[in-house]
Amino acid sequence: MEISDYRKKIDTIDEQLVKLFAERMNVSAEIGKFKQENDIPVYDAERERKKLGQIAEMTDSSMNTYTDALYSLIFELSRSYQRKLSGEKNHTKDSIKEALENTPNLFPGRSLVACQGVEGAYSQQACEKIFSSPQIMYFNSFEGVFSAIDKGLCQYGILPLENSTAGSVNKIYDLMMQYDFKIVRSTRIKIDHCLMAAEGADMSEIKEIFSHEQAISQCESFLSELKGVKITPCANTAAAAKLIMESGRTDAAAIASPLCEELYGLKCLKSSIQDQGSNYTRFICISKKLEIYPGADKTSIMMILPHKPGSLYKVLSRFNALGVNLQKLESRPLQNSDFEFMFYFDLDSSVYSPEFIHIFDDISGMAVTFKYLGSYSEVV
């Protein structure tokens, strides 16, 4: 036989499969209607387990892995279809609809914004990129920014989420689990680190360097070449520059942005000391209130999934079935738990696409805890 002959056989089988799949979905819709009329939950874990067992008995053991994957996806699609037809109440979808209707068309240019650090911090640069005329309130820690939003002290907050060299800012993801907030914007800032010190200082005399731990990580190659120099982490790159100015020391230096050089009256001992020239940090703008502005094409969600095989796969297969691109997947261990994790997802999907709203039809039912963080666009 030629390959064309095999493909004709596949085509014939596919014709039967498509008809049977449509028939199965129609029956599933009838079951969904019955469940709704009799107040029965859409998800029936026991029934699905038994069904998978029956399928396994019908097939050769070498095919079990494939049939499990196939029918797990079919179950997901069937549940989604039942919920869609039943009009089941979905608080996430309702809040998204309300936000789309009530959010102003223009993002505010002026607002009170919380940033971590002091004047000259990279978060300030990100803030000024997102807002045209922000009034900035500085806090000593990332948690201070979250707390300011949570308590209504500031309407918005700016936080670093990840760096192209050093990776994710784990502290932010840990705090995300503790606070109620929404992401309304994001932006990327090119990070150009300079080693700066007080006037009169010389590179050969530097004994200690201060900076934020992320900046230290981003300049690892440069710092590894320095012998006998103490590396001391501090709260913020700009705080490190301010510390050098206030200390009057000529044997200490700071790693900070070029903005801090002029701001704190320091001199640059060496510029662009980061490991990679294309060094960017992504910042998010958070708010207490859900706001979805026109052009939103990114969505962030968090989940705590059941601690059992296939939990993450089911979520990923859901995205795949809808044709939604996953831009980022991050996991963080839960405190006081035995190998359980929080999963963070960044999805590439316009709020106006037909697939977007269906993301939430069934996905919350897959999780122990589900949190919609917002839909937004990135300021270039």
Side-chain angles (χ1 to χ4, degrees), residues 127-139:
C127 180
E128 291 174 342
K129 191 173 180 180
I130 293 175
F131 297 90
S132 58
S133 302
Q135 181 182 352
I136 301 176
M137 183 177 292
Y138 291 101
F139 294 85

Side-chain angles (χ1 to χ4, degrees), residues 39-326:
D39 198 25
I40 300 173
V42 169
Y43 181 47
D44 188 340
E46 183 181 3
R47 164 64 178 170
E48 291 189 8
R49 283 195 300 271
K50 287 182 178 179
K51 191 63 182 176
L52 285 176
Q54 293 172 2
I55 298 298
E57 292 177 358
M58 297 179 195
T59 57
D60 185 88
S61 59
S62 63
M63 297 294 292
N64 286 166
T65 301
Y66 303 103
T67 53
D68 282 352
L70 173 62
Y71 274 85
S72 292
L73 178 57
I74 289 175
F75 294 160
E76 301 291 348
L77 296 173
S78 296
R79 288 200 301 271
S80 176
Y81 193 43
Q82 288 178 8
R83 286 193 166 97
K84 178 183 177 182
L85 295 178
S86 69
E88 183 180 72
K89 188 74 173 176
N90 187 303
H91 295 296
T92 300
K93 291 170 69 174
D94 290 344
S95 65
I96 290 171
K97 182 179 179 182
E98 182 180 352
L100 285 170
E101 292 174 350
N102 298 327
T103 302
N105 289 331
L106 294 177
F107 191 81
R110 183 186 301 273
S111 190
L112 182 59
V113 186
C115 290
Q116 188 267 342
V118 296
E119 193 77 19
Y122 285 109
S123 59
Q124 174 195 337
Q125 297 179 42
C127 180
E128 291 174 342
K129 191 173 180 180
I130 293 175
F131 297 90
S132 58
S133 302
Q135 181 182 352
I136 301 176
M137 183 177 292
Y138 291 101
F139 294 85
N140 292 330
S141 65
F142 294 142
E143 185 164 14
V145 175
F146 275 105
S147 181
I149 302 304
D150 190 62
K151 295 177 180 178
L153 186 59
C154 295
Q155 186 174 356
Y156 299 102
I158 303 294
L159 293 161
L161 194 62
E162 58 184 327
N163 177 264
S164 58
T165 301
S168 299
V169 185
N170 291 332
K171 181 63 176 177
I172 299 297
Y173 289 100
D174 293 339
L175 289 167
M176 281 180 170
M177 293 183 275
Q178 302 176 31
Y179 288 90
D180 182 24
F181 69 98
K182 295 292 183 285
I183 303 174
V184 297
R185 271 290 192 272
S186 69
T187 192
R188 295 173 191 266
I189 296 293
K190 189 177 188 303
I191 305 299
D192 189 19
H193 291 309
C194 295
L195 184 69
M196 56 192 69
E199 290 292 339
D202 187 86
M203 187 70 202
S204 62
E205 299 174 351
I206 299 300
K207 302 299 181 186
E208 187 171 13
I209 295 175
F210 296 86
S211 195
H212 186 267
E213 56 186 10
Q214 279 271 326
I216 292 170
S217 175
Q218 294 162 26
C219 303
E220 187 175 347
S221 296
F222 170 78
L223 295 175
S224 65
E225 296 176 358
L226 304 179
K227 306 302 179 185
V229 178
K230 181 181 179 183
I231 310 300
T232 303
C234 62
N236 184 266
T237 54
K242 186 178 181 182
L243 174 65
I244 297 301
M245 177 199 70
E246 293 174 342
S247 70
R249 292 175 59 179
T250 57
D251 66 339
I255 297 174
S257 72
L259 176 64
C260 292
E261 181 184 348
E262 181 178 355
L263 188 61
Y264 294 110
L266 303 176
K267 71 171 184 177
C268 180
L269 299 178
K270 190 171 179 61
S271 62
S272 300
I273 62 173
Q274 63 272 11
D275 293 347
Q276 297 182 16
S278 58
N279 184 31
Y280 288 84
T281 293
R282 181 184 174 214
F283 289 83
I284 55 173
C285 177
I286 65 171
S287 172
K288 180 74 172 178
K289 179 184 176 183
L290 175 61
E291 300 172 355
I292 304 178
Y293 290 90
D297 57 3
K298 300 180 188 299
T299 291
S300 297
I301 58 178
M302 287 174 56
M303 296 185 195
I304 298 174
L305 299 175
H307 189 42
K308 61 183 182 181
S311 293
L312 180 58
Y313 166 78
K314 288 182 179 180
V315 175
L316 297 178
S317 66
R318 177 81 175 125
F319 298 150
N320 179 62
L322 290 172
V324 175
N325 183 41
L326 177 63

